[in-house]
């Protein structure tokens, strides 16, 4: 009796025949070789190694075979799949290398090319600071008012109670655009000047608005000064006007204190010193507490303060109760209404707020000056 014939295996499955397996392998290798890029290779990979690829389907047939056939077919399919896997990895490597080389060429940046982008700008600190001051008042319900920079002499001076012989009306102080046209003292007969302050907007606001009036007016003003470290012929002011029933100097003082606290922090305050302006009565010069030393430098040589020159106070601008003559000139009944106004220079405030030593830095437009203030918008 002979021993069982272990190599005899009668079952044959078409898909597992050696030539079939070779054909599947070769087709896979051909497809990988033909893939021109990684995308095509990915498609070939799915077709020839995915779950429904011929080799995967063939592999599934193996389990049903008798032992010897199973071993043979398993070996054949295993070798074919290994060869396909190697070919795939090799082609993948080639195509990736090709892609990387192409990207290096196509996406190369020539850092020696001239720079052609316009650098992004920043708004000028004068503008942003002026808006910040105006915002303090807008938050209290004030409206922004504007007026022309080439202003009627009548608004700039006459309506504000400047007498005809006031020194500010002379050519050495004021830029005249046009002299008076004919006789008479009404607005049409008025000359035209570049406004020397934002106060003409007071008169414009009173004439153009319903009472009560609460307006803030930031704007550009002109005086015939030479440009130097502390003067500029063009600068900016911010003007405030409130006209209502029952307003007093206490309202003015409270408003000023609120403003400096909003801009410079808690604990700040202002003080008023007597002064004269034709359009306010009484008038005052307003100072604010030095926001750096808070007055601690006064009489204290151990703690000098550069910001206020150890004065303890910083001069801000002018203020006062609106002169009844101005109210009358603008058709407002001074028996019923009263008001307060103040105005100050933005450049000056910006200078001490940021330790800017030379006013020219603010007008020359050099971005190296503007940049440290940031991209505030
Ligand atoms: N217009 C004045 C100036 O330019 C400032 C000021 C405004 C004074 C309002 C009083 C009231 O100096």
């Amino acid at each position: 009796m002979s021993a069982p014939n272990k190599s005899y295996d009668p079952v044959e499955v078409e898909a597992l025949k050696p030539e079939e397996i070779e054909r599947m392998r070769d087709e896979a290798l051909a497809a990988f070789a033909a893939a021109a890029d990684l995308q095509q290779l990915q498609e070939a990979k799915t077709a020839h190694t995915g779950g429904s690829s011929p080799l995967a389907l063939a592999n599934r047939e193996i389990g049903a075979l008798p032992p010897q056939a199973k071993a043979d077919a398993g070996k054949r399919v295993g070798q074919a799949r290994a060869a396909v896997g190697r070919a795939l990895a090799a082609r993948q490597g080639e195509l990736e290398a090709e892609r990387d080389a192409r990207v290096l060429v196509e996406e190369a940046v020539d850092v020696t090319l001239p720079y052609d982008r316009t650098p992004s700008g920043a708004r000028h600190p004068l503008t942003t600071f002026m808006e910040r001051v105006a915002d303090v008042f807008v938050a209290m319900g004030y409206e922004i008012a504007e007026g022309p920079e080439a202003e009627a002499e009548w608004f700039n001076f006459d309506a504000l109670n400047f007498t005809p012989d006031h020194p500010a009306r002379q050519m050495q102080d004021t830029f005249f655009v046009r002299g008076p046209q004919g006789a008479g003292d009404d607005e049409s007969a008025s000359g035209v000047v570049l406004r020397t302050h934002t106060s003409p907007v007071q008169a414009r606001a009173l004439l153009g608005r319903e009472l009560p009036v609460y307006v803030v007016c930031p704007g550009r003003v002109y005086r015939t000064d030479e440009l130097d470290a502390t003067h500029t012929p063009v600068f900016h002011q911010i003007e405030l006007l409130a006209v209502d029933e029952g307003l007093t100097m206490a309202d003015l003082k409270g408003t000023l204190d609120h403003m400096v606290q909003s801009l410079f922090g808690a604990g700040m305050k202002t003080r008023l010193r007597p002064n004269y302006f034709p359009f306010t009565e009484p008038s005052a010069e307003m100072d604010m507490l030095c926001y750096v030393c808070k007055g601690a430098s006064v009489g204290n040589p151990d703690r000098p303060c550069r910001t206020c020159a150890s004065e303890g106070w910083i001069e801000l601008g002018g203020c006062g109760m609106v002169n009844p003559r101005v109210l009358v000139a603008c058709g407002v009944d001074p028996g019923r209404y009263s008001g307060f106004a103040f105005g100050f220079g933005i450049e000056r405030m910006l200078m001490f707020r940021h330790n800017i030593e030379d006013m020219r830095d603010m007008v020359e437009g050099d971005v190296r000056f503007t940049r440290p203030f940031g991209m505030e918008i």
Side-chain angles (χ1 to χ4, degrees), residues 86-131:
R86 279 195 302 275
L88 175 65
R91 186 67 184 140
Q92 176 96 18
E94 276 170 30
L95 289 174
E96 277 173 2
E98 262 175 38
R99 179 205 52 198
D100 291 349
R102 194 177 56 245
V103 163
L104 279 179
V105 173
E106 284 173 1
E107 297 180 13
V109 173
D110 183 351
V111 292
T112 65
L113 285 175
Y115 183 69
D116 66 348
R117 285 242 192 103
T118 313
S120 52
R123 297 174 78 209
H124 198 279
L126 274 175
T127 313
T128 49
F129 186 58
M130 204 152 62
E131 281 179 8

Side-chain angles (χ1 to χ4, degrees), residues 294-355:
K294 303 254 160 70
S297 66
V298 182
N300 183 356
D302 297 334
R303 201 190 179 296
C305 180
R306 274 174 55 192
T307 306
C308 64
S310 301
E311 296 272 333
W313 295 90
I314 297 166
E315 197 179 306
L316 260 195
C319 64
M321 300 306 290
V322 180
N323 193 320
R325 285 167 171 267
V326 174
L327 295 179
V328 170
C330 298
V332 177
D333 175 8
R336 184 169 167 204
Y337 289 97
S338 59
F340 61 80
F342 65 80
F344 59 83
I346 297 289
E347 275 80 353
R348 244 185 76 73
M349 205 184 208
L350 200 67
M351 276 175 97
F352 63 72
R353 198 169 188 263
H354 295 281
N355 291 322

Side-chain angles (χ1 to χ4, degrees), residues 21-99:
I21 300 291
E22 272 169 33
R23 186 184 59 74
M24 293 175 198
R25 182 197 63 199
D26 292 345
E27 274 179 10
L29 300 193
F32 296 160
D37 57 30
L38 288 164
Q39 171 66 33
Q40 288 179 13
L41 185 65
Q42 181 61 37
E43 284 158 17
K45 177 183 172 184
T46 311
H48 294 279
T49 68
S52 49
S53 63
L55 274 172
L57 296 177
N59 198 45
R60 246 176 263 157
E61 302 284 350
I62 297 172
L65 296 178
Q68 184 58 47
K70 192 186 235 171
D72 290 349
K75 196 172 165 198
R76 278 199 299 279
V77 173
Q79 281 173 348
R81 294 180 97 195
V84 167
R86 279 195 302 275
L88 175 65
R91 186 67 184 140
Q92 176 96 18
E94 276 170 30
L95 289 174
E96 277 173 2
E98 262 175 38
R99 179 205 52 198

